[in-house]
Amino acid sequence: MNILQVPDGTLTTSINPFLPATEYVPDGEPHVFGNRVYIYGSHDLADGTAVMCAGDYVCYSAALTDLAHWRYEGVIYRRDQDPFARMMTRRGGDKLGLKSHLFAPDVVEVHGRYYLYYGVAMSESGVAMAVADSPTGPFEYVGRVRYPESEKPSGWRDGKDGLDDGDMAFFGGRPAISRRGIRIKEFPYDPTLLLHEGRLFLYVGLLNCYVVELDTSDMRTVVKNESGGYATQVFRARPLKLVRDLMFGKAADAHFVNGPSIREIDGAFVLSYYAMGSGGFNGMYYATADQPQGPFAPAGPLVSLGNSRFRGQKSPADQTGNIHGGMFAVDGQWYQIYHRQTKAGRPACAVPLTRRADGGFEHAEHTSMGFSTEPLNAFRRWPAYMACHLTDHVGASGKNSPLIAQRAYDNTDGELPVVTRLRAGSIVGYKYFDFGADAVAGARVSIELDPASRGRVDIRLDDASTGPVVATIEVDGPLGTPVSFTAAMAPVRGVHAVYLVTHPEGPELGGLSQLAFGSAR
Protein backbone atom coordinates (compact mmCIF):
# COMPACT_ATOMS: atom_id res chain seq x y z
CA MET A 1 0.00 0.00 0.00
CA ASN A 2 1.28 3.49 -0.84
CA ILE A 3 1.36 6.30 1.68
CA LEU A 4 -1.68 8.59 1.57
CA GLN A 5 -1.77 10.61 -1.64
CA VAL A 6 -1.56 14.11 -0.22
CA PRO A 7 0.78 16.97 -1.24
CA ASP A 8 4.38 17.02 -0.06
CA GLY A 9 4.44 19.63 2.70
CA THR A 10 8.12 20.46 2.22
CA LEU A 11 7.47 21.87 -1.26
CA THR A 12 5.83 24.97 0.20
CA THR A 13 6.73 25.07 3.89
CA SER A 14 9.92 25.35 5.93
CA ILE A 15 10.76 22.50 8.32
CA ASN A 16 13.66 21.51 10.55
CA PRO A 17 16.18 20.79 9.27
CA PHE A 18 15.65 23.43 6.59
CA LEU A 19 18.35 22.48 4.06
CA PRO A 20 18.11 19.43 1.75
CA ALA A 21 17.74 16.22 3.73
CA THR A 22 21.22 14.88 3.07
CA GLU A 23 23.11 18.16 3.54
CA TYR A 24 24.82 18.77 6.87
CA VAL A 25 25.99 22.36 7.41
CA PRO A 26 26.42 22.89 11.17
CA ASP A 27 27.67 26.05 12.89
CA GLY A 28 25.59 28.10 10.48
CA GLU A 29 26.29 31.84 10.29
CA PRO A 30 23.53 33.65 8.38
CA HIS A 31 24.24 36.99 6.72
CA VAL A 32 21.91 39.18 4.70
CA PHE A 33 23.52 40.62 1.58
CA GLY A 34 21.08 42.42 -0.68
CA ASN A 35 17.73 40.65 -0.87
CA ARG A 36 19.06 37.21 0.09
CA VAL A 37 20.32 35.52 3.23
CA TYR A 38 23.43 33.33 2.95
CA ILE A 39 24.36 30.47 5.27
CA TYR A 40 28.06 29.81 5.94
CA GLY A 41 29.07 26.92 8.15
CA SER A 42 31.17 23.84 8.68
CA HIS A 43 30.43 20.86 6.44
CA ASP A 44 29.80 17.38 7.80
CA LEU A 45 29.65 14.55 5.29
CA ALA A 46 26.87 11.98 5.57
CA ASP A 47 29.27 9.08 5.81
CA GLY A 48 28.09 7.55 9.06
CA THR A 49 31.35 8.36 10.87
CA ALA A 50 32.02 10.44 13.95
CA VAL A 51 34.45 12.75 12.11
CA MET A 52 33.19 16.33 11.98
CA CYS A 53 33.77 18.96 9.31
CA ALA A 54 35.27 16.65 6.69
CA GLY A 55 33.94 18.59 3.70
CA ASP A 56 34.85 21.77 1.88
CA TYR A 57 32.92 24.93 2.71
CA VAL A 58 29.62 25.19 0.84
CA CYS A 59 27.02 27.94 0.83
CA TYR A 60 23.23 28.05 0.61
CA SER A 61 21.07 31.11 0.12
CA ALA A 62 17.38 32.02 0.15
CA ALA A 63 15.30 35.01 -0.83
CA LEU A 64 14.25 37.03 2.21
CA THR A 65 10.67 36.64 1.01
CA ASP A 66 10.86 32.82 0.86
CA LEU A 67 12.80 31.03 3.59
CA ALA A 68 11.28 27.67 2.63
CA HIS A 69 13.44 27.30 -0.48
CA TRP A 70 17.22 27.29 -0.29
CA ARG A 71 19.54 27.44 -3.28
CA TYR A 72 22.81 25.56 -3.34
CA GLU A 73 25.58 28.01 -4.22
CA GLY A 74 28.25 25.34 -4.49
CA VAL A 75 31.69 24.93 -2.94
CA ILE A 76 32.99 28.35 -1.97
CA TYR A 77 36.34 27.32 -0.43
CA ARG A 78 38.24 24.05 -0.49
CA ARG A 79 40.26 22.47 2.30
CA ASP A 80 43.28 22.16 0.04
CA GLN A 81 43.35 25.94 -0.46
CA ASP A 82 44.59 26.37 3.08
CA PRO A 83 48.37 25.78 3.24
CA PHE A 84 48.36 24.31 6.74
CA ALA A 85 45.40 21.99 6.11
CA ARG A 86 46.96 20.93 2.82
CA MET A 87 50.27 20.14 4.51
CA MET A 88 48.63 18.13 7.30
CA THR A 89 46.50 16.19 4.80
CA ARG A 90 49.60 15.26 2.81
CA ARG A 91 51.37 14.08 5.97
CA GLY A 92 48.46 11.74 6.74
CA GLY A 93 47.54 10.17 10.04
CA ASP A 94 44.99 12.82 10.99
CA LYS A 95 42.10 10.35 11.23
CA LEU A 96 39.92 12.62 13.36
CA GLY A 97 40.61 15.71 11.29
CA LEU A 98 41.88 17.65 14.31
CA LYS A 99 44.65 19.27 12.26
CA SER A 100 43.26 19.33 8.74
CA HIS A 101 39.49 19.91 8.77
CA LEU A 102 37.96 23.35 8.35
CA PHE A 103 35.92 24.29 11.41
CA ALA A 104 33.22 26.94 11.89
CA PRO A 105 33.73 30.01 9.65
CA ASP A 106 32.24 33.48 9.46
CA VAL A 107 31.98 36.08 6.70
CA VAL A 108 31.96 39.88 6.83
CA GLU A 109 31.42 42.34 3.97
CA VAL A 110 33.61 45.46 3.86
CA HIS A 111 33.55 47.93 0.97
CA GLY A 112 31.97 45.46 -1.43
CA ARG A 113 34.40 42.61 -0.73
CA TYR A 114 33.64 39.50 1.32
CA TYR A 115 36.10 38.17 3.89
CA LEU A 116 35.97 34.58 5.14
CA TYR A 117 37.57 33.82 8.52
CA TYR A 118 38.06 30.28 9.79
CA GLY A 119 40.21 27.96 11.85
CA VAL A 120 41.78 24.63 10.96
CA ALA A 121 40.27 22.34 13.58
CA MET A 122 42.20 22.22 16.88
CA SER A 123 45.55 23.01 15.26
CA GLU A 124 48.22 25.59 16.05
CA SER A 125 47.63 27.51 12.81
CA GLY A 126 45.56 30.39 14.20
CA VAL A 127 42.71 32.12 12.35
CA ALA A 128 42.93 32.21 8.55
CA MET A 129 41.36 34.69 6.14
CA ALA A 130 40.27 34.42 2.51
CA VAL A 131 38.59 37.00 0.27
CA ALA A 132 36.09 37.09 -2.61
CA ASP A 133 34.21 39.64 -4.70
CA SER A 134 30.91 37.80 -4.23
CA PRO A 135 29.14 36.37 -1.15
CA THR A 136 29.25 32.98 -2.89
CA GLY A 137 32.95 33.12 -3.70
CA PRO A 138 35.12 31.69 -4.96
CA PHE A 139 37.20 32.72 -1.95
CA GLU A 140 40.98 32.91 -2.28
CA TYR A 141 43.38 32.39 0.59
CA VAL A 142 45.14 35.53 1.86
CA GLY A 143 46.86 34.63 5.14
CA ARG A 144 46.55 34.39 8.91
CA VAL A 145 45.28 36.91 11.40
CA ARG A 146 48.60 38.17 12.66
CA TYR A 147 50.49 40.30 15.10
CA PRO A 148 52.09 43.47 13.68
CA GLU A 149 55.53 43.14 12.11
CA SER A 150 56.93 45.03 15.11
CA GLU A 151 55.98 42.11 17.36
CA LYS A 152 58.00 39.50 15.51
CA PRO A 153 60.69 38.06 17.77
CA SER A 154 64.29 38.09 16.70
CA GLY A 155 65.13 35.10 14.51
CA TRP A 156 61.53 34.40 13.46
CA ARG A 157 61.52 31.90 10.59
CA ASP A 158 59.11 32.52 7.72
CA GLY A 159 56.96 29.64 6.58
CA LYS A 160 56.78 28.13 10.04
CA ASP A 161 54.27 25.27 10.40
CA GLY A 162 53.21 25.53 6.76
CA LEU A 163 51.95 29.10 7.05
CA ASP A 164 53.48 30.28 3.82
CA ASP A 165 52.56 33.95 4.23
CA GLY A 166 55.45 34.23 6.68
CA ASP A 167 53.44 36.03 9.36
CA MET A 168 53.19 35.31 13.04
CA ALA A 169 49.68 33.96 13.62
CA PHE A 170 47.69 35.65 16.37
CA PHE A 171 47.14 33.20 19.26
CA GLY A 172 48.85 30.56 17.08
CA GLY A 173 51.83 28.31 17.63
CA ARG A 174 50.32 25.61 19.83
CA PRO A 175 47.34 23.29 19.21
CA ALA A 176 44.44 22.95 21.62
CA ILE A 177 45.24 19.27 22.17
CA SER A 178 48.81 17.95 22.02
CA ARG A 179 51.32 15.84 23.92
CA ARG A 180 52.00 18.91 26.04
CA GLY A 181 48.42 18.84 27.29
CA ILE A 182 45.20 20.73 26.66
CA ARG A 183 45.39 24.42 25.84
CA ILE A 184 42.20 26.38 26.14
CA LYS A 185 43.54 29.73 27.23
CA GLU A 186 44.02 32.09 24.28
CA PHE A 187 43.04 29.45 21.75
CA PRO A 188 41.50 31.07 18.60
CA TYR A 189 38.42 28.90 18.11
CA ASP A 190 35.23 29.63 16.11
CA PRO A 191 35.89 33.15 14.77
CA THR A 192 33.05 35.63 14.35
CA LEU A 193 33.22 39.20 13.05
CA LEU A 194 31.54 42.55 13.70
CA LEU A 195 31.97 45.71 11.62
CA HIS A 196 30.93 48.72 13.71
CA GLU A 197 31.40 52.35 12.68
CA GLY A 198 34.32 51.43 10.45
CA ARG A 199 36.07 49.31 13.09
CA LEU A 200 36.39 45.53 12.72
CA PHE A 201 36.23 43.22 15.73
CA LEU A 202 37.10 39.51 15.83
CA TYR A 203 35.71 37.25 18.58
CA VAL A 204 37.08 33.77 19.31
CA GLY A 205 36.59 31.33 22.12
CA LEU A 206 36.99 27.86 23.60
CA LEU A 207 35.85 27.96 27.26
CA ASN A 208 37.57 31.36 27.34
CA CYS A 209 36.25 34.03 24.98
CA TYR A 210 38.17 37.02 23.62
CA VAL A 211 37.64 39.99 21.32
CA VAL A 212 40.37 41.74 19.35
CA GLU A 213 40.25 44.61 16.87
CA LEU A 214 41.64 44.15 13.34
CA ASP A 215 43.25 46.77 11.13
CA THR A 216 40.83 47.35 8.24
CA SER A 217 43.68 48.32 5.91
CA ASP A 218 44.61 44.65 5.57
CA MET A 219 41.73 42.99 7.51
CA ARG A 220 44.02 40.72 9.50
CA THR A 221 46.56 42.59 11.64
CA VAL A 222 45.54 42.90 15.29
CA VAL A 223 45.33 46.33 16.91
CA LYS A 224 46.16 47.15 20.50
CA ASN A 225 43.30 47.96 22.84
CA GLU A 226 43.05 50.82 25.33
CA SER A 227 44.95 48.88 27.99
CA GLY A 228 47.90 48.32 25.69
CA GLY A 229 47.24 44.64 24.99
CA TYR A 230 45.61 42.98 22.04
CA ALA A 231 42.89 40.65 23.32
CA THR A 232 40.09 41.69 25.65
CA GLN A 233 38.62 38.80 27.62
CA VAL A 234 34.85 38.38 27.36
CA PHE A 235 34.42 35.17 29.36
CA ARG A 236 36.94 33.42 31.61
CA ALA A 237 36.98 29.63 31.79
CA ARG A 238 35.96 28.10 35.09
CA PRO A 239 36.39 24.38 34.30
CA LEU A 240 36.02 23.09 37.85
CA LYS A 241 32.80 25.02 38.40
CA LEU A 242 31.56 23.84 34.99
CA VAL A 243 32.12 20.20 35.94
CA ARG A 244 30.59 20.73 39.38
CA ASP A 245 27.52 22.45 37.91
CA LEU A 246 27.05 19.77 35.27
CA MET A 247 27.16 17.02 37.87
CA PHE A 248 25.45 18.62 40.84
CA GLY A 249 24.24 22.06 39.82
CA LYS A 250 20.67 23.20 40.24
CA ALA A 251 21.15 26.78 39.06
CA ALA A 252 19.64 28.01 35.81
CA ASP A 253 22.84 29.65 34.59
CA ALA A 254 25.09 28.17 31.93
CA HIS A 255 28.78 28.25 31.00
CA PHE A 256 30.34 29.52 27.78
CA VAL A 257 31.79 26.61 25.78
CA ASN A 258 32.50 27.91 22.26
CA GLY A 259 30.76 29.11 19.09
CA PRO A 260 30.54 32.88 19.66
CA SER A 261 28.41 34.81 17.16
CA ILE A 262 28.12 38.59 17.34
CA ARG A 263 25.34 40.93 16.19
CA GLU A 264 24.44 44.57 16.76
CA ILE A 265 20.73 44.85 17.57
CA ASP A 266 19.01 48.14 18.33
CA GLY A 267 22.25 49.73 19.48
CA ALA A 268 23.24 46.84 21.75
CA PHE A 269 25.87 44.19 21.06
CA VAL A 270 24.47 40.67 21.32
CA LEU A 271 26.88 37.75 21.60
CA SER A 272 25.26 34.33 21.21
CA TYR A 273 27.22 31.18 22.01
CA TYR A 274 27.13 27.49 22.87
CA ALA A 275 26.60 27.03 26.60
CA MET A 276 26.29 24.03 28.90
CA GLY A 277 24.53 23.74 32.22
CA SER A 278 22.82 21.40 34.63
CA GLY A 279 19.88 19.24 33.60
CA GLY A 280 21.49 18.25 30.31
CA PHE A 281 21.34 21.82 29.01
CA ASN A 282 23.16 22.20 25.70
CA GLY A 283 21.92 25.34 24.03
CA MET A 284 22.44 28.71 22.45
CA TYR A 285 22.79 31.37 25.13
CA TYR A 286 23.27 35.09 24.68
CA ALA A 287 24.95 38.00 26.44
CA THR A 288 24.68 41.74 25.83
CA ALA A 289 26.96 44.76 26.06
CA ASP A 290 26.91 48.48 25.35
CA GLN A 291 30.28 48.38 23.57
CA PRO A 292 31.79 45.85 21.11
CA GLN A 293 34.55 44.96 23.59
CA GLY A 294 32.16 44.50 26.48
CA PRO A 295 31.73 43.91 29.30
CA PHE A 296 29.10 41.33 28.31
CA ALA A 297 26.38 40.24 30.72
CA PRO A 298 24.70 36.82 30.18
CA ALA A 299 21.01 37.32 29.43
CA GLY A 300 19.53 33.84 28.98
CA PRO A 301 18.93 30.95 26.58
CA LEU A 302 17.83 31.32 22.96
CA VAL A 303 17.15 27.67 22.09
CA SER A 304 18.28 24.33 23.53
CA LEU A 305 18.75 20.86 22.12
CA GLY A 306 15.88 18.66 23.22
CA ASN A 307 14.25 21.74 24.79
CA SER A 308 16.04 21.31 28.10
CA ARG A 309 14.91 24.10 30.48
CA PHE A 310 12.22 25.26 28.05
CA ARG A 311 9.16 26.09 30.17
CA GLY A 312 10.60 24.14 33.07
CA GLN A 313 11.51 20.97 31.17
CA LYS A 314 14.10 19.21 33.32
CA SER A 315 15.85 16.99 30.78
CA PRO A 316 16.40 16.96 27.02
CA ALA A 317 13.98 15.12 24.72
CA ASP A 318 16.46 14.69 21.87
CA GLN A 319 20.12 13.86 21.32
CA THR A 320 22.43 16.51 22.76
CA GLY A 321 25.94 17.70 22.02
CA ASN A 322 27.51 20.84 20.64
CA ILE A 323 25.36 23.57 19.12
CA HIS A 324 26.39 26.71 17.25
CA GLY A 325 24.90 29.32 14.96
CA GLY A 326 24.05 32.95 14.35
CA MET A 327 21.03 35.26 14.15
CA PHE A 328 19.45 37.32 11.38
CA ALA A 329 16.29 39.38 10.90
CA VAL A 330 13.71 39.81 8.16
CA ASP A 331 11.30 42.73 8.54
CA GLY A 332 11.87 42.84 12.29
CA GLN A 333 11.46 39.10 12.85
CA TRP A 334 14.64 37.57 14.28
CA TYR A 335 15.66 33.97 13.66
CA GLN A 336 18.28 31.78 15.32
CA ILE A 337 20.22 29.29 13.21
CA TYR A 338 21.64 26.25 15.00
CA HIS A 339 22.29 22.56 14.41
CA ARG A 340 20.97 19.42 16.03
CA GLN A 341 22.70 16.09 16.61
CA THR A 342 21.97 13.02 14.47
CA LYS A 343 23.90 9.88 13.65
CA ALA A 344 24.16 10.95 10.02
CA GLY A 345 25.53 14.44 10.68
CA ARG A 346 24.60 17.78 12.19
CA PRO A 347 21.86 19.37 10.06
CA ALA A 348 21.03 23.08 10.11
CA CYS A 349 17.88 24.11 11.98
CA ALA A 350 16.11 27.40 12.58
CA VAL A 351 13.68 28.91 15.04
CA PRO A 352 11.83 32.25 15.09
CA LEU A 353 12.70 34.34 18.16
CA THR A 354 10.27 36.35 20.28
CA ARG A 355 11.36 39.72 21.65
CA ARG A 356 10.52 40.74 25.19
CA ALA A 357 9.35 44.20 26.14
CA ASP A 358 12.87 45.03 27.38
CA GLY A 359 14.37 44.11 23.98
CA GLY A 360 15.71 40.74 25.06
CA PHE A 361 14.76 37.34 23.67
CA GLU A 362 12.56 34.58 25.03
CA HIS A 363 13.77 30.97 25.22
CA ALA A 364 12.47 29.58 21.90
CA GLU A 365 11.19 26.04 21.46
CA HIS A 366 12.99 23.58 19.19
CA THR A 367 10.24 22.31 16.87
CA SER A 368 9.74 20.63 13.49
CA MET A 369 8.65 23.93 11.94
CA GLY A 370 11.91 25.58 10.84
CA PHE A 371 11.35 29.21 9.86
CA SER A 372 7.57 28.75 9.96
CA THR A 373 5.84 31.02 12.46
CA GLU A 374 2.54 29.14 12.08
CA PRO A 375 1.87 25.42 12.71
CA LEU A 376 2.30 23.03 9.79
CA ASN A 377 -0.71 21.88 7.77
CA ALA A 378 -1.35 18.39 9.09
CA PHE A 379 -2.94 17.15 5.86
CA ARG A 380 0.30 16.83 3.98
CA ARG A 381 3.07 14.26 3.60
CA TRP A 382 6.03 14.95 5.90
CA PRO A 383 9.50 13.37 6.27
CA ALA A 384 9.98 11.45 9.49
CA TYR A 385 13.43 12.99 10.08
CA MET A 386 11.85 16.33 11.07
CA ALA A 387 10.92 14.78 14.44
CA CYS A 388 11.96 17.11 17.26
CA HIS A 389 11.29 14.69 20.15
CA LEU A 390 13.14 11.35 20.33
CA THR A 391 12.99 9.51 23.65
CA ASP A 392 12.87 5.96 24.97
CA HIS A 393 10.12 4.25 26.94
CA VAL A 394 10.92 6.21 30.10
CA GLY A 395 11.08 9.55 28.29
CA ALA A 396 14.86 9.82 28.21
CA SER A 397 17.14 10.65 25.31
CA GLY A 398 20.43 8.85 24.85
CA LYS A 399 21.72 5.39 24.04
CA ASN A 400 18.28 3.73 24.01
CA SER A 401 16.25 6.45 22.30
CA PRO A 402 15.38 6.65 18.60
CA LEU A 403 17.94 8.21 16.32
CA ILE A 404 18.10 9.67 12.82
CA ALA A 405 20.37 7.83 10.42
CA GLN A 406 21.35 8.13 6.78
CA ARG A 407 20.86 4.68 5.29
CA ALA A 408 22.30 5.32 1.81
CA TYR A 409 25.30 7.53 2.40
CA ASP A 410 25.92 8.39 -1.26
CA ASN A 411 22.22 9.15 -1.63
CA THR A 412 22.25 8.67 -5.40
CA ASP A 413 18.54 7.81 -5.40
CA GLY A 414 17.49 10.64 -3.10
CA GLU A 415 16.78 8.32 -0.17
CA LEU A 416 15.74 10.25 2.93
CA PRO A 417 17.25 9.90 6.39
CA VAL A 418 15.10 7.68 8.58
CA VAL A 419 14.17 7.48 12.24
CA THR A 420 15.46 4.17 13.51
CA ARG A 421 16.10 2.31 16.78
CA LEU A 422 12.35 2.15 17.37
CA ARG A 423 12.04 -0.10 20.39
CA ALA A 424 9.24 -0.88 22.86
CA GLY A 425 7.80 2.40 24.04
CA SER A 426 10.02 4.59 21.83
CA ILE A 427 8.57 8.05 21.26
CA VAL A 428 8.90 10.08 18.04
CA GLY A 429 7.35 13.54 18.33
CA TYR A 430 6.47 16.39 15.96
CA LYS A 431 5.59 20.00 16.84
CA TYR A 432 3.20 21.40 15.67
CA PHE A 433 0.46 20.31 13.26
CA ASP A 434 -2.75 22.23 12.50
CA PHE A 435 -5.72 19.94 11.83
CA GLY A 436 -8.06 22.84 11.07
CA ALA A 437 -10.95 24.46 12.88
CA ASP A 438 -13.31 21.62 12.00
CA ALA A 439 -12.55 17.91 12.30
CA VAL A 440 -12.19 16.17 8.92
CA ALA A 441 -14.62 13.31 8.47
CA GLY A 442 -12.96 9.98 7.74
CA ALA A 443 -9.46 11.24 8.48
CA ARG A 444 -6.63 8.73 8.24
CA VAL A 445 -2.98 8.60 9.22
CA SER A 446 -0.25 6.78 7.34
CA ILE A 447 3.41 5.97 7.93
CA GLU A 448 6.07 4.61 5.62
CA LEU A 449 8.29 2.05 7.31
CA ASP A 450 10.96 -0.47 6.47
CA PRO A 451 9.76 -2.97 9.09
CA ALA A 452 12.16 -5.18 10.99
CA SER A 453 9.31 -6.78 12.93
CA ARG A 454 5.55 -6.64 13.25
CA GLY A 455 3.88 -4.54 15.89
CA ARG A 456 1.85 -1.37 16.25
CA VAL A 457 2.25 2.40 16.46
CA ASP A 458 -0.02 4.49 18.68
CA ILE A 459 -0.66 8.08 17.59
CA ARG A 460 -1.03 10.37 20.61
CA LEU A 461 -1.72 14.09 20.83
CA ASP A 462 -0.08 16.72 23.04
CA ASP A 463 1.54 14.40 25.58
CA ALA A 464 3.43 11.22 24.75
CA SER A 465 2.35 9.47 27.94
CA THR A 466 -1.08 10.80 28.82
CA GLY A 467 -2.37 12.34 25.60
CA PRO A 468 -5.34 10.75 23.83
CA VAL A 469 -4.66 7.94 21.37
CA VAL A 470 -6.35 9.06 18.15
CA ALA A 471 -5.18 6.14 15.99
CA THR A 472 -3.37 2.82 16.20
CA ILE A 473 -1.46 1.66 13.13
CA GLU A 474 -0.95 -2.08 12.85
CA VAL A 475 2.39 -3.04 11.32
CA ASP A 476 1.45 -6.41 9.88
CA GLY A 477 2.91 -6.44 6.38
CA PRO A 478 6.04 -7.92 4.78
CA LEU A 479 9.36 -7.41 6.54
CA GLY A 480 12.54 -6.05 5.03
CA THR A 481 11.05 -3.78 2.36
CA PRO A 482 9.62 -0.24 2.66
CA VAL A 483 5.84 -0.28 2.87
CA SER A 484 3.06 2.03 4.09
CA PHE A 485 0.61 1.31 6.88
CA THR A 486 -2.61 3.29 7.37
CA ALA A 487 -5.27 3.56 10.06
CA ALA A 488 -8.46 5.52 10.69
CA MET A 489 -8.26 8.46 13.08
CA ALA A 490 -10.60 9.81 15.70
CA PRO A 491 -11.88 13.32 14.91
CA VAL A 492 -9.17 15.91 15.53
CA ARG A 493 -9.33 19.69 15.28
CA GLY A 494 -6.96 22.49 16.19
CA VAL A 495 -3.20 22.62 16.74
CA HIS A 496 -1.41 19.69 18.36
CA ALA A 497 1.93 18.07 19.00
CA VAL A 498 1.83 14.55 17.53
CA TYR A 499 3.67 11.61 19.09
CA LEU A 500 4.25 8.17 17.58
CA VAL A 501 4.73 5.53 20.28
CA THR A 502 6.10 2.26 18.93
CA HIS A 503 5.34 -1.28 20.15
CA PRO A 504 7.34 -3.83 18.11
CA GLU A 505 6.92 -7.56 18.61
CA GLY A 506 10.67 -7.97 18.03
CA PRO A 507 13.61 -5.91 19.34
CA GLU A 508 13.02 -2.99 16.92
CA LEU A 509 10.24 -1.94 14.57
CA GLY A 510 12.41 -0.69 11.67
CA GLY A 511 13.19 2.58 9.91
CA LEU A 512 10.48 5.25 9.73
CA SER A 513 10.70 7.48 6.65
CA GLN A 514 7.40 9.36 6.21
CA LEU A 515 4.24 10.45 7.99
CA ALA A 516 1.00 11.69 6.39
CA PHE A 517 -2.52 12.66 7.33
CA GLY A 518 -5.44 12.65 4.89
CA SER A 519 -9.09 11.87 4.39
CA ALA A 520 -10.80 8.69 3.17
CA ARG A 521 -11.52 10.34 -0.17
Side-chain angles (χ1 to χ4, degrees):
M1 180 184 297
N2 294 324
I3 198 162
L4 292 172
Q5 296 304 299
V6 292
D8 181 349
T10 64
L11 296 180
T12 58
T13 308
S14 174
I15 64 168
N16 274 331
F18 62 86
L19 293 181
T22 56
E23 186 67 278
Y24 299 94
V25 181
D27 312 319
E29 280 286 0
H31 290 287
V32 175
F33 300 127
N35 60 2
R36 300 187 71 83
V37 57
Y38 297 81
I39 299 291
Y40 305 93
S42 307
H43 193 196
D44 292 351
L45 300 181
D47 57 3
T49 73
V51 178
M52 301 185 299
C53 309
D56 299 324
Y57 287 144
V58 298
C59 179
Y60 280 81
S61 77
L64 296 180
T65 56
D66 183 8
L67 299 179
H69 297 95
W70 289 80
R71 183 172 74 196
Y72 177 59
E73 302 290 358
V75 173
I76 61 171
Y77 191 72
R78 304 185 317 276
R79 281 173 55 198
D80 63 11
Q81 288 180 256
D82 182 273
F84 186 86
R86 184 170 60 244
M87 179 185 68
M88 298 308 297
T89 300
R90 288 174 178 172
R91 284 184 182 177
D94 186 27
K95 294 181 179 180
L96 297 179
L98 295 181
K99 286 199 171 187
S100 62
H101 288 186
L102 305 183
F103 276 20
D106 197 12
V107 170
V108 64
E109 184 268 331
V110 180
H111 301 312
R113 303 200 81 193
Y114 300 86
Y115 297 86
L116 173 75
Y117 293 80
Y118 65 92
V120 180
M122 311 292 284
S123 75
E124 61 267 37
S125 64
V127 175
M129 187 264 279
V131 66
D133 294 322
S134 163
T136 58
F139 287 86
E140 298 297 333
Y141 177 78
V142 175
R144 255 56 188 179
V145 171
R146 59 187 181 178
Y147 291 99
E149 291 288 321
S150 60
E151 296 284 357
K152 280 190 176 181
S154 176
W156 178 261
R157 178 170 57 86
D158 285 349
K160 182 181 179 182
D161 292 332
L163 304 182
D164 58 2
D165 60 11
D167 297 313
M168 190 167 63
F170 173 70
F171 275 178
R174 180 180 166 187
I177 302 174
S178 69
R179 293 178 180 176
R180 290 183 288 174
I182 297 176
R183 174 205 179 196
I184 57 174
K185 187 178 181 180
E186 298 185 347
F187 185 76
Y189 198 73
D190 292 346
T192 185
L193 285 299
L194 172 72
L195 183 67
H196 172 68
E197 297 182 347
R199 299 172 68 185
L200 183 63
F201 297 92
L202 167 70
Y203 302 74
V204 294
L206 178 63
L207 297 187
N208 296 282
C209 184
Y210 303 89
V211 56
V212 63
E213 186 173 356
L214 301 182
D215 187 340
T216 54
S217 66
D218 69 358
M219 302 293 290
R220 65 190 183 100
T221 299
V222 297
V223 176
K224 286 190 175 180
N225 58 28
E226 293 179 355
S227 64
Y230 290 106
T232 300
Q233 192 161 37
V234 176
F235 294 118
R236 181 174 63 87
R238 303 168 69 185
L240 293 180
K241 188 175 189 308
L242 171 61
V243 172
R244 192 164 54 244
D245 286 353
L246 291 179
M247 295 179 65
F248 310 110
K250 297 181 181 179
D253 61 351
H255 295 256
F256 174 89
V257 179
N258 57 42
S261 178
I262 187 70
R263 297 292 185 269
E264 185 175 358
I265 302 175
D266 298 336
F269 300 92
V270 178
L271 185 73
S272 60
Y273 52 92
Y274 168 33
M276 294 179 68
S278 59
F281 179 85
N282 287 260
M284 295 301 305
Y285 225 73
Y286 77 106
T288 61
D290 295 327
Q291 300 294 329
Q293 291 166 303
F296 283 86
L302 293 167
V303 66
S304 54
L305 295 179
N307 288 318
S308 179
R309 295 188 182 176
F310 177 75
R311 294 179 180 172
Q313 185 172 310
K314 296 182 178 180
S315 60
D318 194 4
Q319 301 290 333
T320 61
N322 63 62
I323 184 174
H324 182 183
M327 303 163 66
F328 76 103
V330 180
D331 295 332
Q333 172 63 63
W334 283 90
Y335 300 92
Q336 174 69 49
I337 304 299
Y338 60 103
H339 63 256
R340 68 184 299 188
Q341 298 285 331
T342 76
K343 185 179 180 181
R346 296 171 296 163
C349 296
V351 65
L353 297 175
T354 299
R355 301 291 295 274
R356 298 195 305 259
D358 63 1
F361 294 94
E362 298 283 359
H363 186 172
E365 184 177 17
H366 167 58
T367 72
S368 307
M369 294 161 44
F371 293 100
S372 303
T373 56
E374 298 294 333
L376 306 177
N377 186 340
F379 296 103
R380 296 290 185 269
R381 185 173 73 254
W382 299 102
Y385 64 79
M386 73 180 200
C388 60
H389 180 117
L390 298 169
T391 57
D392 62 18
H393 68 288
V394 295
S397 64
K399 63 181 181 179
N400 294 316
S401 60
L403 53 82
I404 297 169
Q406 187 74 48
R407 289 303 198 198
Y409 297 125
D410 292 334
N411 204 45
T412 55
D413 299 322
E415 183 175 333
L416 297 177
V418 298
V419 181
T420 186
R421 202 158 69 186
L422 300 176
R423 299 172 177 171
S426 292
I427 301 167
V428 182
Y430 301 86
K431 298 179 179 179
Y432 290 94
F433 286 126
D434 187 352
F435 289 86
D438 299 312
V440 174
R444 301 174 70 79
V445 59
S446 181
I447 60 172
E448 185 175 79
L449 187 73
D450 186 356
S453 74
R454 291 175 171 80
R456 76 174 199 276
V457 178
D458 291 334
I459 310 297
R460 289 183 178 269
L461 300 184
D462 302 325
D463 187 284
S465 301
T466 62
V469 177
V470 296
T472 295
I473 301 174
E474 298 293 339
V475 179
D476 54 4
L479 305 184
T481 184
V483 64
S484 296
F485 302 92
T486 303
M489 282 181 57
V492 177
R493 60 173 59 87
V495 176
H496 300 276
V498 173
Y499 297 95
L500 281 63
V501 184
T502 61
H503 303 278
E505 294 178 1
E508 295 187 4
L509 193 61
L512 178 69
S513 56
Q514 294 189 80
L515 168 71
F517 297 94
S519 65
R521 297 188 299 271

